[in-house]
Amino acid sequence: MKKFLLILIFTFGFINNIQSQKDYSKDVENLLKKMTLEEKIGQMNQYNGFYDATGPSPSGGDAKKKYDNLKNGLVGSMLNVRGVNEVRAFQKIAVEETRLGIPLIFGFDLIHGYKTIAPIPLAESASWDLNEIQNSASLGAKEASAAGINWTFAPMVDISRDARWGRVMEGAGEDPFLGSLVAAARVKGFQGNDLSSPSTVAACAKHFAAYGFVESGRDYNTVDIGLSTLHNIVLPPFKAAVDAGVKTFMNGFTELNGIPVTADSYLQREILKKQWGFKGFIVSDWGSLREMMDHGYAKNRKHAGELALNGGSDMDMESTIYIEELSNLINEGKINIEQIDDAVRRILLVKFELGLFDDPYRYCDLVREKKITGSKEIMDGALEMAKKSIVLLKNNKKLLPLKKNGQKIALIGPLAADKNSPLGNWRVAADNNTAVSVLEGLSHYTGNEITHSQGIRLVNKIPDGFHEEVQINNTDKTGILEAKEVAKKADVVIMVLGEYGFQSGEGRSRANLDLPGFQQELLEEIHKVNSNIVLVLMNGRPLTLDWSSQNIPAIIESWHLGTQSGHAISQVIYGDYNPSGKLPMSFPRSVGQIPIYYNHKSTGRPGADGEDAGSVFWSHYQDEKNTALYPFGFGLSYTSFEYSNIKLSKNTLMKKNDELTASIKLTNTGKLKGKEVVQLYIRDKFASSTRPVKELKGFKMIDLNPGETKNISFKINSKMLEYYSPRNIWESEIGDFELFIGTNSSTERKASFELKSLN
Ligand code: NOJ
């Protein structure tokens, strides 16, 4: 029966794939032939929603001008328009009032859920569970598409080694291998097997490329990296997105090695469109054409249009430069019609694939919107994803899980009852205060007595003039005294501290990564009166937790987990869910270590922490260790695992397609059933360019009952050993390798092999 089902699923998926691969090139060409130059350029123009389309049409100013452009077919896409009624109203103008009736494509930042919020992407990546990540994206697509949206500006696949950069919350962390798998899973989740289904949306890999390498972690700052880092670290997740069939790309705000990426023809034309054969279109980032003037690259708006088109940007998000300047540039011979046709073809193709020409209102079904929004399926998916995203950082003397009965619990911290912060940043369509707080989650367990004290208050602020945020108060610490009184009387203290929801994300760089405001003081004060503390962290990035790691017995990294946050955290606290998450980014000991990442180079003067004490001339700090506090891949469980007996089936790979098997024994030595992410790393010992000390090359998620042992194996072949070499190609080189299998990136359990020949 199972087999039959599998065949059915496979066949169905296959048919769906065929459907989505329908060749629309003739339809695109036929339409293109009918279009005037103006109409073509119109397709390359994207506006933000500029009026309430269900109300009266605008009568003056900029909105009127945009409205007229829309009616005249000078708009190809809109962003931030959402809800069936709004989308339908705009679509109606495009379809019924413009000469050719070309439907709009509606883009939206569906980053981690639409109205029902899933964990932030960095948290999801901590699950290492690609099926769950794919499912989470597909549920987000389902909810957003039911609200009229058919294109998401996700996944963000920027690798970053710098937790000061607030946008690490949107990505998959520091590693290109994990990042590539997560990128592909998200693309598949958003787009499904059939892009024309009303439950799927086109995905967008962003920000092409290297945004995660902004200098000093300051958002929008300069990026200057070498070719090796670009190809080996930055580009792989983008390539993985292309291979997974992603329909669109977004460039970015930053420059890369002196060229704003919006105008970078090496990236966009040479690598993406030519070498990778990408057939979809590239949208600019918000106003990034215009910003090339501030970069000191474009003389004026017209010049920015010229540079962007020549560089390969197909659609202009909100600079309005393309519709103003492209026809002038054609007349002046600065750009040519083939470039415009190419861009328009790409945009139209995605619209055809989305099924918008068959039915432009395909995503506009009010009944469906009502039924799907916040449905049980989506809520359940958000909870499942949230539980899997949690990382247990410390659990001394098995303080966790807590007993369910007879305990006095003090629940302390500004984020303990907060129903906003767990939603994190990028939650444009979510209503305020819709997350389950930790207080609410814990209240479902009635056997203990909970007393709650904020310690430090939350305040409402409007930092950018229109957007209200709940922030952690940083002027008043009078609540600490009361919290201490509550803590004194408790058996266990649960402290919920970290970053408020908007403290990470775009424009939210930080120079310090400690617990913001008076939270560290609160923690230390409570610790003085009751050290039996479970620290629950909510944050969008790695924090510096040195003091906590030394003094607090139990630490749960719960990130910003979304709508179901409090339930997921409570289930972990009480042991109804045994955590298995692993960090997708290194947690530094201090900010001065940044950039810190596990796949670093050896240097000519390497050394280990603690080694060479007192000596000076090796690569280290005088006042800090080299290692991360919690390394990439780190995460504990309520049970314990033992690795033993690493073995290779042989020690040499004799030719290109040769393969060896690396295996290890994994035993659950604890008393609970648990899941372990077994990680495989490889080191290329000598090559024609220096190689990282370790690179993740595989992982497996293994469920084990107490006392159970499994033999875990990985196949190794020369393809896995390839890198972008000084010859500017991807290749593997013969020579010696080391292979490590273990519980996180610091594992030293290794074996050696040789790639002898590639013939
Ligand atoms: C700017 C951000 O950089 C980008 O990621 C986002 O998709 C656009 N704004 C649209 O909101």
Side-chain angles (χ1 to χ4, degrees), residues 344-581:
V344 178
R345 252 183 217 114
R346 291 167 180 275
I347 294 164
L348 293 178
L349 177 65
V350 176
K351 291 187 177 184
F352 271 107
E353 290 178 333
L354 280 165
L356 288 170
F357 284 97
D358 299 328
D359 176 7
Y361 305 109
R362 174 163 244 148
Y363 302 85
C364 299
D365 177 346
L366 272 175
V367 178
R368 192 171 159 256
E369 182 177 36
K370 206 156 173 244
K371 194 172 138 208
I372 302 272
T373 311
S375 67
K376 184 168 182 313
E377 182 197 15
I378 295 176
M379 285 287 187
D380 289 352
L383 177 58
E384 213 41 39
M385 188 72 254
K387 287 190 285 189
K388 290 182 171 174
S389 304
I390 290 173
V391 183
L392 181 64
L393 293 179
K394 190 175 172 194
N395 193 19
N396 257 21
K397 296 195 188 135
K398 300 217 168 107
L399 176 56
L400 287 168
L402 296 187
K403 291 194 199 84
K404 287 184 182 162
N405 292 300
Q407 302 270 298
K408 279 193 183 148
I409 293 183
L411 178 63
I412 293 174
L415 303 176
D418 187 6
K419 293 170 66 58
N420 256 318
S421 293
L423 300 174
N425 207 331
W426 288 119
R427 24 141 317 176
V428 185
D431 297 323
N432 278 338
N433 290 312
T434 46
V436 177
S437 70
V438 177
L439 175 60
E440 288 169 328
L442 289 175
S443 306
H444 282 255
Y445 294 82
T446 51
N448 289 333
E449 188 189 316
I450 300 176
T451 314
H452 167 234
S453 171
Q454 267 192 320
I456 291 159
R457 282 179 308 111
L458 292 170
V459 282
N460 284 357
K461 287 207 174 143
I462 310 185
D464 54 9
F466 69 98
H467 191 158
E468 184 172 278
E469 289 180 7
V470 176
Q471 299 192 350
I472 299 168
N473 164 300
N474 56 8
T475 52
D476 173 14
K477 51 180 178 176
T478 49
I480 295 183
L481 277 180
E482 182 208 274
K484 276 175 93 168
E485 289 310 309
V486 172
K488 270 184 201 162
K489 297 179 200 126
D491 299 309
V492 188
V493 184
I494 300 175
M495 298 199 64
V496 189
L497 307 177
E499 298 184 315
Y500 60 84
F502 286 102
Q503 203 150 16
S504 46
E506 186 183 340
R508 313 291 173 132
S509 296
R510 293 182 60 200
N512 299 300
L513 294 177
D514 45 10
L515 291 168
F518 299 118
Q519 293 183 94
Q520 183 65 30
E521 190 175 331
L522 173 67
L523 182 60
E524 292 185 25
E525 284 300 313
I526 298 294
H527 185 260
K528 284 181 192 159
V529 296
N530 189 340
S531 61
N532 214 23
I533 295 176
V534 175
L535 172 59
V536 175
L537 294 165
M538 286 186 182
N539 42 297
R541 49 152 75 89
L543 299 176
T544 49
L545 300 168
D546 219 15
W547 187 89
S548 301
S549 77
Q550 288 172 37
N551 296 286
I552 301 298
I555 308 177
I556 294 173
E557 176 51 79
S558 78
W559 317 101
H560 291 136
L561 283 184
T563 307
Q564 295 280 5
S565 176
H567 288 318
I569 294 168
S570 306
Q571 289 187 28
V572 164
I573 286 178
Y574 281 120
D576 286 340
Y577 188 81
N578 186 355
S580 60

Side-chain angles (χ1 to χ4, degrees), residues 8-230:
L8 243 183
I9 291 167
F10 180 75
T11 319
F12 186 66
F14 187 64
I15 291 170
N16 269 343
N17 264 330
I18 290 178
Q19 280 172 354
S20 69
Q21 278 162 18
K22 188 176 157 193
D23 183 4
Y24 287 104
S25 46
K26 282 212 181 91
D27 306 79
V28 170
E29 288 314 315
N30 287 340
L31 183 52
L32 199 63
K33 274 189 210 132
K34 294 183 197 149
M35 295 171 79
T36 62
L37 174 62
E38 269 213 309
E39 285 165 337
K40 289 177 183 174
I41 294 169
Q43 286 303 304
M44 301 164 71
N45 177 36
Q46 184 187 52
Y47 280 153
N48 192 33
F50 54 89
Y51 82 107
D52 173 4
T54 57
S57 48
S59 53
D62 195 40
K64 168 84 168 85
K65 198 170 133 199
K66 288 184 167 174
Y67 179 68
D68 290 342
N69 282 346
L70 179 61
K71 288 209 297 186
N72 291 329
L74 299 184
V75 184
S77 172
M78 297 198 60
L79 77 149
N80 285 332
V81 176
R82 59 181 190 273
V84 161
N85 286 330
E86 273 280 301
V87 170
R88 180 180 280 277
F90 274 113
Q91 193 67 299
K92 199 159 181 281
I93 300 173
V95 172
E96 294 181 15
E97 300 194 38
T98 67
R99 190 179 76 91
L100 291 171
I102 301 176
L104 297 165
I105 174 172
F106 291 90
F108 187 81
D109 287 288
L110 170 68
I111 308 296
H112 54 116
Y114 178 69
K115 215 163 195 91
T116 309
I117 298 298
I120 55 167
L122 186 67
E124 289 196 357
S125 304
S127 73
W128 296 49
D129 188 329
L130 302 171
N131 291 333
E132 200 64 54
I133 292 171
Q134 180 169 335
N135 188 48
S136 179
S138 89
L139 292 176
K142 196 167 184 177
E143 199 176 44
S145 60
I149 282 142
N150 39 45
W151 176 24
T152 174
F153 304 130
M156 188 272 228
V157 305
D158 296 315
I159 298 294
S160 182
R161 297 163 164 179
D162 195 333
R164 292 171 298 183
W165 189 48
R167 300 198 76 166
V168 298
M169 52 94 29
E170 288 173 61
E174 75 189 37
D175 182 59
F177 181 83
L178 180 62
S180 297
L181 293 171
V182 170
R186 291 207 171 115
V187 169
K188 287 184 205 152
F190 288 131
Q191 297 190 166
N193 289 323
D194 178 7
L195 199 62
S196 71
S197 146
S199 306
T200 57
V201 298
C204 179
K206 70 186 188 186
H207 304 83
F208 199 56
Y211 188 12
F213 280 74
V214 280
E215 279 177 2
S216 48
R218 208 181 70 214
D219 208 2
Y220 318 120
N221 203 2
T222 307
V223 178
D224 200 324
I225 57 171
L227 270 189
S228 170
T229 302
L230 178 66

Side-chain angles (χ1 to χ4, degrees), residues 187-302:
V187 169
K188 287 184 205 152
F190 288 131
Q191 297 190 166
N193 289 323
D194 178 7
L195 199 62
S196 71
S197 146
S199 306
T200 57
V201 298
C204 179
K206 70 186 188 186
H207 304 83
F208 199 56
Y211 188 12
F213 280 74
V214 280
E215 279 177 2
S216 48
R218 208 181 70 214
D219 208 2
Y220 318 120
N221 203 2
T222 307
V223 178
D224 200 324
I225 57 171
L227 270 189
S228 170
T229 302
L230 178 66
H231 285 273
N232 286 304
I233 307 294
V234 169
L235 293 184
F238 288 101
K239 174 68 163 56
V242 171
D243 293 344
V246 73
K247 293 295 166 189
T248 73
F249 261 56
M250 185 186 292
N251 49 45
F253 296 127
T254 40
E255 64 161 79
L256 170 62
N257 304 336
I259 315 279
V261 293
T262 301
D264 193 327
S265 61
Y266 171 64
L267 283 177
Q268 302 186 117
R269 292 209 179 273
E270 174 60 29
I271 296 181
L272 179 58
K273 292 180 177 174
K274 194 166 153 210
Q275 294 179 15
W276 295 353
F278 174 65
K279 296 281 179 292
F281 69 88
I282 307 176
V283 64
S284 78
D285 204 343
W286 178 286
S288 68
L289 271 73
R290 187 181 52 232
E291 288 182 12
M292 289 199 287
M293 297 189 291
D294 287 310
H295 276 288
Y297 192 66
K299 295 197 269 282
N300 50 38
R301 288 171 65 82
K302 193 202 280 182

